[in-house]
Amino acid sequence: MFLTISTTGSPERPATDLGFLLHKHPDKTQAFSTSYGKAHVLYPEASAERCTAALLLEVDAVALVRRGKGKGRGGAPDAALAQYVNDRPYAASSLLAVALSSVFSSAMKGTCHARPELPARPLPLRIEVPALPARGGAGLVRALFEPLGWTVAAEPVALDPEFPEWGDSRYVSLVLEGEQRLADALRHLYVLLPVLDDAKHYWVASDEVDKLLRAGEGWLPDHPEQKLITSRYLSRRWSLTRQAMERLELVRLAETDDSAVEEIDNAVDEQADTEEKPVPLAVRRRDAIVAALKAADAARVLDLGCGQGQLVQELLKDPRFTEIVGVDVSMRALTIASRRLKLDRMGERQADRVKLFQGSLAYTDKRLKGYDAAVLSEVVEHLDLPRLPALEYAVFGSARPRTVLVTTPNVEYNVRWESLPAGHVRHGDHRFEWTRAEFRDWAGAVAARHGYGVEFVPVGPDDPEVGPPTQMAVFTAATETAASTATTRNAKGEKAA
């Protein structure tokens, strides 16, 4: 991945002033480590008449894959291969934009302590990017850069020069020329390189809005392609795009009114918190589990796959739960749970109510027998599908509590998570995520095999199209179901009599 910045000069204003602006000496070759490889800065030419600085970014494709977690498992072989064989090491993208901001951070901010007068001076610049992905073609490249004062040459790169009939690729060879301040030129590149690639190598969070507005200061509010730039830069996350557009409109209004943005955007008292905060899904899930345990009249409860002990801690608050056992295969998680519960400082009566021990849910364990209820909260999706029958028998066949609660993500709801890329699961360790129909099929088959009845409860907002974010199955042993039915019938008979 390669980019050059050139300028011309004279004996009075030597082109080598570029070295002061970039904070990189023309006589040295420098290297900088990045999260995905190494960036090199060198000067192919450096004289009073002409100076060129080059940024060469070596991308480690393996490191890029290893750090890009959260895509789940079980992808197609072609997709798995594409993680390693792609254009990321060669074509300008958000990787190069991040390297620009890291290596030339002072230049992008417009600071130069050695020559403070230089950053404000426009320079005759020539910027070359040999391979630039351009989703939208050369026409879009011109539409983005020409309103900023650049003369643009964007030549499409042939798929294969030996076979011209194959046509052009989606890449262009870009040359920008114009009188620009170096800080402005770098900020143009920082924003527009990933916009043209229409992809980012990192998770787009709310702080990206601030990055965009900082880099777009002075040019983005009036750019004719403002909406496209904003949407693509923020990976088409509509909530972030809307937020950015609203703030850009405030900037435009402030400039029109010759006022500060703060003077216009003064309708909210920052000291008063009047906005209701949404209840986290984890809290709703625990509340639903506790409510189901109370409805089942459970006193002795197993938390299977208890993790760091959040549910155990919640159950300890209610004295109706007389014995609470947390089981997890991870000793590290159990250690954290012990600290969370403050077991070493807990009173004797309270300590008698709780136990933590290590165990695998893939094996039968006589310690799990005889309990009123067992909870598998966000556990099944962490197991490979071939291992589910072993868990099923260990819980429903061997331990056989009266009530079993199973919660798991509803994959259909994932489209409502703005921060979750399409096709990704919610956590990097999830082996699968079920639709509502798939979960019902599995739970129904388990109930039939082991003599349980099963009901389904939505957890979180129940979207009319895609359902709730979490789905919960409440299994009740058949004897309990029969007794409950008989009680209901007797009550109805007595009432009729």
Side-chain angles (χ1 to χ4, degrees), residues 37-50:
K38 186 166 285 190
H40 303 268
V41 177
L42 59 147
Y43 287 79
E45 55 183 338
S47 65
E49 292 74 26
R50 184 175 175 83

Side-chain angles (χ1 to χ4, degrees), residues 1-3 32-42 54-60 88-100 103 201:
M1 199 181 298
F2 194 66
L3 175 147
F32 305 85
S33 294
T34 72
S35 301
Y36 304 98
K38 186 166 285 190
H40 303 268
V41 177
L42 59 147
L55 175 64
L56 171 65
L57 181 60
E58 292 182 294
V59 176
D60 184 342
R88 298 298 87 177
Y90 315 107
S93 64
S94 61
L95 289 162
L96 185 59
V98 170
L100 278 171
V103 176
H201 69 278

Side-chain angles (χ1 to χ4, degrees), residues 139-416:
L140 180 60
V141 179
R142 288 189 289 271
L144 294 182
F145 282 102
E146 285 180 349
L148 302 175
W150 293 102
T151 300
V152 181
E155 295 297 326
V157 176
L159 279 172
D160 191 327
E162 298 294 324
F163 301 94
E165 65 273 15
W166 288 3
D168 296 328
S169 68
R170 68 183 184 93
Y171 304 93
V172 299
S173 175
L174 175 67
V175 178
L176 301 175
E177 292 185 301
E179 290 268 339
Q180 299 273 359
R181 296 188 309 161
L182 181 63
D184 294 336
L186 292 174
R187 290 190 288 120
H188 296 165
L189 293 170
Y190 176 76
V191 173
L192 297 180
L193 290 182
V195 166
L196 284 164
D197 186 29
D198 200 12
K200 282 198 171 182
H201 69 278
Y202 58 89
W203 195 273
V204 175
S206 56
D207 61 340
E208 290 296 299
V209 175
D210 295 325
K211 293 181 185 177
L212 174 63
L213 296 183
R214 281 197 301 269
E217 185 179 357
W219 62 271
L220 184 56
D222 298 319
H223 198 291
E225 299 293 340
Q226 178 200 98
K227 188 172 182 180
L228 179 143
I229 294 169
T230 304
S231 175
R232 284 196 179 191
Y233 183 87
L234 297 171
S235 296
R236 292 185 167 83
R237 287 191 55 189
W238 69 268
S239 61
L240 296 183
T241 302
R242 182 180 62 187
Q243 180 185 341
M245 294 294 290
E246 289 172 352
R247 291 173 61 180
L248 286 167
E249 179 63 14
L250 275 175
V251 171
R252 189 189 67 79
L253 290 173
E255 290 177 348
T256 302
D257 199 41
D258 197 21
S259 304
V261 172
E262 294 76 11
E263 295 177 18
I264 295 178
D265 189 20
N266 61 359
V268 177
D269 181 2
E270 297 293 340
Q271 302 301 317
D273 185 5
T274 57
E275 183 179 355
E276 291 187 13
K277 294 180 174 59
V279 179
L281 181 58
V283 174
R284 293 191 179 200
R285 189 161 48 236
R286 286 196 294 273
D287 289 345
I289 290 169
V290 172
L293 291 173
K294 290 178 180 178
D297 199 23
R300 303 175 66 240
V301 180
L302 294 167
D303 183 7
L304 303 177
C306 66
Q308 299 178 18
Q310 292 94 330
L311 178 59
V312 175
Q313 185 179 42
E314 189 67 25
L315 295 176
L316 276 171
K317 297 175 183 178
D318 194 326
R320 82 179 66 202
F321 301 113
T322 58
E323 185 178 351
I324 305 150
V325 177
V327 182
D328 204 283
V329 73
S330 168
M331 278 305 301
R332 182 170 178 271
L334 292 172
T335 300
I336 295 172
S338 178
R339 290 186 194 137
R340 175 189 295 274
L341 300 171
K342 300 181 175 63
L343 289 183
D344 56 337
R345 289 176 279 167
M346 189 176 286
E348 184 176 349
R349 179 177 294 184
Q350 190 80 330
D352 286 342
R353 295 175 58 210
V354 62
K355 297 175 187 173
L356 299 177
F357 61 75
Q358 186 180 29
S360 171
L361 302 181
Y363 303 97
T364 58
D365 190 334
K366 62 182 181 182
R367 295 176 296 178
L368 305 183
K369 293 183 177 181
Y371 286 86
D372 298 329
V375 178
L376 291 157
S377 179
E378 310 300 286
V379 171
V380 294
E381 65 273 9
H382 290 271
L383 275 69
D384 292 313
L385 285 169
R387 296 178 68 85
L388 278 183
L391 174 142
E392 174 191 330
Y393 179 75
V395 176
F396 294 90
S398 176
R400 198 167 178 78
R402 285 193 290 110
T403 301
V404 181
L405 308 180
V406 179
T407 74
T408 191
N410 168 22
V411 71
E412 296 169 79
Y413 193 87
N414 287 359
V415 296
R416 298 293 189 255

